[in-house]
């Protein structure tokens, strides 16, 4: 008899380097392996299971919708999709939402909006979108082009044209790029996730916002990882005192089911019209019902708890032995460890704590509702592993 590991290795494409752990069940922030081993989950399926595994509220929302209708296509109206769009707009001041199924798709939509807006407003036919070095925007061909990391581009040329990557924090390079290219939009992550949990400086984001306003360029914020409470506010941009023209999000929004959303400000709410864009699965009622339950729970009281847990983590890790630096925001945390991060991750896994890495850092994305006692238990394992 083949094990699940053997079957997977034989039949699933080898694009992922999996750890030797088969997860079979869980509750909240605790997972169980096929060997019965208990793990504390500090990765949340890469920031997806915002309220942990098999969360009762989310489960009930999804199951209730599952008993009604699971899919209709976008030819018809369904309640969860409409309500989710309204909730997202009311909470952000954005005016409309396009739903898709992933972060990459949410960014694809943002890019299409920017290109069409530039044509409609300025007649630009070969628009350029500026993104940042070390950014990550997805794996489709166009979002790969947007991603400012050469390592992902190798072997997949030619990429979609029309992207220029700027070094983070370099305001002169930003000004030059806007002068030299027909720029349609600037796409940023407030905290670069895959790029190493690097928070963008406030003055740099303010400079981007200013140039976008004077030049009528769209400011687009990729909140796929940072969004939906992850950074301690509903969206991370809210801590930068800016209002984007486009916000893309996914990951934690669905709580475990695939959903992407592209939020459109007043200026671009009608840029895409009938047949300009679409998605068969986008706005799926089950995924949307789950997402509604998540957004509803991300109120001020809950976000204050996220911030408290974040403060606890920053305070504990700053000046801890074996940790050189702590970065990030909210419950999106990067640890520059003295030992290689992969070594720390392996030691934590051995002791029953699942972490992530990002570039050279150990990355933590715990469920937003992780109980304090479980969080503390995991932290002591990390501290030990870092020494
Ligand atoms: C994960 C991620 C994406 C891609 O999301 P997928 O759902 O994997 O397509 C895009 N942008 C950022 C910032 C991400 O963290």
């Amino acid at each position: 008899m083949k094990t699940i590991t053997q079957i997977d290795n034989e039949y699933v494409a080898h694009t992922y380097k999996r750890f030797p752990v088969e997860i079979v069940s869980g509750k909240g922030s605790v997972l169980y392996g096929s060997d019965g081993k208990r793990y504390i989950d500090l990765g949340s399926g890469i920031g997806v299971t915002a309220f942990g595994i098999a969360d009762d509220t989310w489960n009930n929302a999804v199951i209730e919708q599952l008993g009604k209708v699971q899919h209709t296509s976008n030819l018809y109206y369904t309640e969860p999709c409409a309500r989710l769009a309204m909730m997202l707009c009311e909470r952000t001041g954005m005016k409309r939402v396009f739903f898709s199924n992933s972060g990459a798709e949410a960014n694809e939509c943002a890019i299409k909006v920017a290109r069409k807006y530039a044509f409609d407003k300025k007649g630009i036919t070969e628009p350029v979108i500026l993104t940042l070095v070390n950014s990550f925007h997805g794996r489709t061909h166009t979002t790969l082009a947007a991603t400012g990391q050469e390592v992902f581009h190798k072997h997949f040329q030619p990429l979609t044209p029309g992207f220029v990557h700027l070094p983070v924090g370099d305001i002169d390079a930003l000004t030059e790029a806007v002068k030299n290219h027909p720029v349609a939009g600037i796409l940023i992550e407030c905290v670069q996730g895959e790029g190493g949990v690097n928070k963008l400086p406030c003055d740099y984001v303010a400079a981007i916002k200013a140039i976008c306003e004077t030049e009528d360029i769209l400011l687009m914020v990729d909140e796929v990882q940072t969004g939906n409470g992850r950074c301690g506010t509903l969206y991370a941009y809210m801590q930068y005192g800016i209002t984007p023209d486009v916000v893309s999000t996914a990951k934690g929004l669905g709580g475990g089911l695939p959903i992407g959303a592209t939020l459109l400000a007043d200026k671009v709410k009608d840029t895409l019209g009938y047949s300009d864009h679409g998605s068969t699965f986008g706005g799926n009622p089950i995924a949307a019902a789950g997402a509604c339950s998540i957004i509803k729970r991300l109120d001020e009281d809950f976000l204050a708890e996220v911030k408290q847990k974040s403060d606890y983590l920053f305070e504990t890790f700053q000046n801890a032995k074996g940790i050189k630096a702590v970065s990030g925001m909210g419950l999106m945390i990067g640890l520059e460890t003295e030992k290689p991060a992969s070594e720390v991750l392996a030691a934590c896994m051995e002791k029953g704590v699942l972490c992530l890495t990002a570039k050279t850092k150990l990355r933590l994305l715990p469920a937003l509702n992780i109980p304090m006692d479980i969080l503390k238990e995991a932290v002591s394992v990390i501290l030990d592993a870092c020494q």
Side-chain angles (χ1 to χ4, degrees), residues 46 101-105 107 136-140 143 189 191 193-194 222-226 248 250-251 259 332 363:
I46 318 189
N101 315 285
S102 67
E105 283 178 78
N107 285 331
F136 183 85
H137 298 297
R139 305 289 202 145
T140 61
T143 58
E189 298 156 89
V191 183
E194 304 307 310
D222 179 344
E223 296 261 8
V224 171
Q225 190 162 155
T226 53
S248 55
K251 288 197 169 96
I259 188 167
M332 178 171 179
R363 176 173 43 154

Side-chain angles (χ1 to χ4, degrees), residues 35-327:
D35 56 357
K37 184 164 170 170
R38 170 185 180 268
Y39 295 95
I40 298 177
D41 180 15
L42 297 188
S44 305
I46 318 189
V48 167
T49 49
F51 284 85
I53 298 298
D55 171 76
D56 290 330
T57 308
W58 182 83
N59 271 12
N60 289 339
V62 165
I63 290 165
E64 196 191 321
Q65 184 58 40
L66 192 55
K68 291 180 186 166
V69 58
Q70 82 274 31
H71 174 81
T72 59
S73 88
N74 281 302
L75 295 172
Y76 313 102
Y77 293 93
T78 53
E79 183 174 353
C81 171
R83 291 213 180 280
L84 178 60
M86 181 170 76
M87 229 184 297
L88 288 169
C89 288
E90 285 177 352
R91 295 286 300 273
T92 59
M94 298 283 148
K95 298 299 183 210
R96 293 202 220 289
V97 183
F98 179 85
F99 289 113
S100 53
N101 315 285
S102 67
E105 283 178 78
N107 285 331
E108 288 273 348
C109 175
I111 292 161
K112 284 179 76 169
V113 168
R115 287 181 166 191
K116 182 145 187 295
Y117 181 81
F119 179 78
D120 290 349
K121 276 296 279 279
K122 304 180 189 169
I124 293 174
T125 52
E126 291 191 36
V128 161
I129 290 170
L130 304 177
T131 69
L132 302 180
V133 170
N134 257 336
S135 59
F136 183 85
H137 298 297
R139 305 289 202 145
T140 61
H141 242 100
T142 294
T143 58
L144 206 55
T147 293
Q149 300 188 56
E150 293 300 323
V151 46
F152 295 115
H153 295 170
K154 215 176 68 183
H155 306 310
F156 304 110
Q157 304 287 349
L159 298 176
T160 307
F163 292 92
V164 170
H165 309 122
L166 302 176
V168 172
D170 188 338
I171 295 175
D172 291 339
L174 169 71
T175 316
E176 274 301 295
V178 169
K179 208 188 295 164
N180 296 335
H181 301 284
V183 176
I186 306 181
L187 177 63
I188 60 170
E189 298 156 89
C190 291
V191 183
Q192 294 185 328
E194 304 307 310
V197 200
N198 302 313
K199 193 171 154 180
L200 296 191
C202 284
D203 57 346
Y204 183 58
V205 173
I208 292 175
K209 174 66 184 170
I211 210 162
C212 284
E213 276 193 352
T214 48
E215 302 291 331
D216 195 8
I217 290 168
L218 298 186
L219 173 56
M220 309 195 287
V221 181
D222 179 344
E223 296 261 8
V224 171
Q225 190 162 155
T226 53
N228 313 298
R230 175 55 55 191
C231 288
T233 43
L234 186 61
Y235 291 100
Y237 76 79
M238 294 169 169
Q239 293 178 58
Y240 281 82
I242 54 161
T243 309
D245 300 303
V246 179
V247 175
S248 55
T249 191
K251 288 197 169 96
L253 177 63
L257 285 173
I259 188 167
T262 310
L263 283 54
L264 307 168
D266 196 49
K267 170 155 125 168
V268 289
K269 69 174 190 239
D270 291 320
T271 298
L272 296 180
Y274 293 121
S275 86
D276 280 335
H277 201 35
S279 164
T280 300
F281 288 112
N284 170 276
I286 296 171
C292 281
S293 87
I294 284 177
I295 295 296
K296 247 185 236 160
R297 289 159 86 186
L298 298 176
D299 58 17
E300 287 311 310
D301 289 344
F302 182 82
L303 292 170
E305 281 175 37
V306 170
K307 280 190 194 129
Q308 275 169 18
K309 284 173 202 166
S310 172
D311 289 346
Y312 158 72
L313 290 174
F314 271 88
E315 279 161 26
T316 308
F317 290 132
Q318 266 154 7
N319 310 315
K321 234 177 115 193
I323 296 175
K324 290 192 277 192
V326 191
S327 65

